[in-house]
Amino acid sequence: SQELEQSPQSLIVQEGKNLTINCTSSKTLYGLYWYKQKYGEGLIFLMMLQKGGEEKSHEKITAKLDEKKQQSSLHITASQPSHAGIYLCGADEDSNYQLIWGAGTKLIIKP
Amino acid sequence: DTAVSQTPKYLVTQMGNDKSIKCEQNLGHDTMYWYKQDSKKFLKIMFSYNNKELIINETVPNRFSPKSPDKAHLNLHINSLELGDSAVYFCASSQDMRAGGTQYFGPGTRLTVL
């Protein structure tokens, strides 16, 4: 069973539009990871957040962790076809490193 | 209920030893995978099995040998462990081999080779 709530499950976005994916836990997280899944190549690490209120950006992707460290959002600005894929959040519930996972969000970019 | 489980969660061993990591999924999926997570958090696929048959075998030393006794299990056996094998190993499963299918990951096994 998935212990991180990830929403939406799937998303179809017009190219050039912005979008947001959310990841929520009922527990305070030690660390939150965002990955992009490419079939046959495994997951690509995007960002890791550890501090409450932390925000990181890479190219057109921004990830934030709320102050309580229970919710994270991944925001893509001006989406492109290369952004299509499945986005997965994973989290450490404590420092002993046992990851829990969201169910993934399938992102489709319409040209 | 745990969907994808791995044992052990932590494994500390000496160089030269042989060790196994077990993976089980109770999702009824046809396809299972082994990934190695490097220090940069990149998950690199090692093996993929579909209905107990090897589908993907990336460039991995032949000291690593996967074994799938049935569709629900994919174990990873490592011979003559080396320092560079230290990493976190993730097992995953998906419904089938179709592109774009969501993979469900286990919690990982942290292997430390001393």
Side-chain angles (χ1 to χ4, degrees), chain A residues 11-20 60-61 75-84 87 107-111:
Chain A
L11 194 53
I12 301 174
V13 174
Q14 193 73 40
E15 183 177 350
K17 297 294 185 183
N18 304 337
L19 64 105
T20 301
K60 294 184 179 181
I61 301 176
H75 186 77
I76 299 177
T77 304
S79 57
Q80 301 170 349
S82 60
H83 289 129
Y87 290 81
L107 174 62
I108 298 170
I109 306 295
K110 288 173 57 178

Side-chain angles (χ1 to χ4, degrees), chain B residues 9 11-12 21 26 32 37 39 45-46 50 68 70 73-74 94:
Chain B
K9 293 176 184 173
L11 185 54
V12 181
I21 307 172
N26 62 7
M32 296 185 72
Q37 183 181 44
S39 57
I45 193 165
M46 300 173 69
N50 190 58
S68 183
D70 55 58
H73 296 85
L74 181 62
S94 63

Side-chain angles (χ1 to χ4, degrees), chain B residues 80-94:
Chain B
S80 303
L81 279 155
E82 300 178 358
L83 292 176
D85 296 333
S86 295
V88 181
Y89 292 84
F90 287 96
C91 175
S93 73
S94 63

Side-chain angles (χ1 to χ4, degrees), chain A residues 1-3 9 33-48 85-86 88 92 94-106, chain B residues 1-4 9-10 27 33 35 37 40-45 48 55-56 58 88 90 94 96-108 110:
Chain A
S1 63
Q2 302 294 342
E3 298 179 53
Q9 288 186 340
Y33 305 82
W34 281 103
Y35 290 92
K36 180 182 177 182
Q37 186 174 32
K38 295 175 73 174
Y39 178 73
E41 296 180 29
L43 298 184
I44 296 173
F45 172 72
L46 296 175
M47 274 167 276
M48 181 182 76
I86 297 174
L88 204 69
D92 299 344
D94 54 41
S95 60
N96 291 325
Y97 194 85
Q98 179 179 349
L99 290 191
I100 57 175
W101 298 94
T105 294
K106 185 177 292 188
Chain B
D1 290 341
T2 304
V4 182
K9 293 176 184 173
Y10 301 95
L27 298 167
Y33 311 81
Y35 290 85
Q37 183 181 44
K40 295 181 181 179
K41 305 295 184 181
F42 183 79
L43 275 165
K44 184 175 181 180
I45 193 165
S48 161
I55 303 298
I56 296 174
E58 294 296 313
V88 181
F90 287 96
S94 63
D96 50 40
M97 294 293 290
R98 285 176 299 173
T102 299
Q103 295 183 29
Y104 294 82
F105 282 76
R110 182 181 285 279

Side-chain angles (χ1 to χ4, degrees), chain B residues 5-6 12 16 18 36 38 40 53-54 69 72 74 77 79-82 85 87 89 91 96 100-101 106 109 114:
Chain B
S5 59
Q6 292 177 232
V12 181
D18 302 338
K36 180 180 179 180
D38 63 22
K40 295 181 181 179
E53 289 187 25
L54 180 64
L74 181 62
H77 189 75
N79 290 327
S80 303
L81 279 155
E82 300 178 358
D85 296 333
Y89 292 84
C91 175
D96 50 40
T109 295
L114 304 175

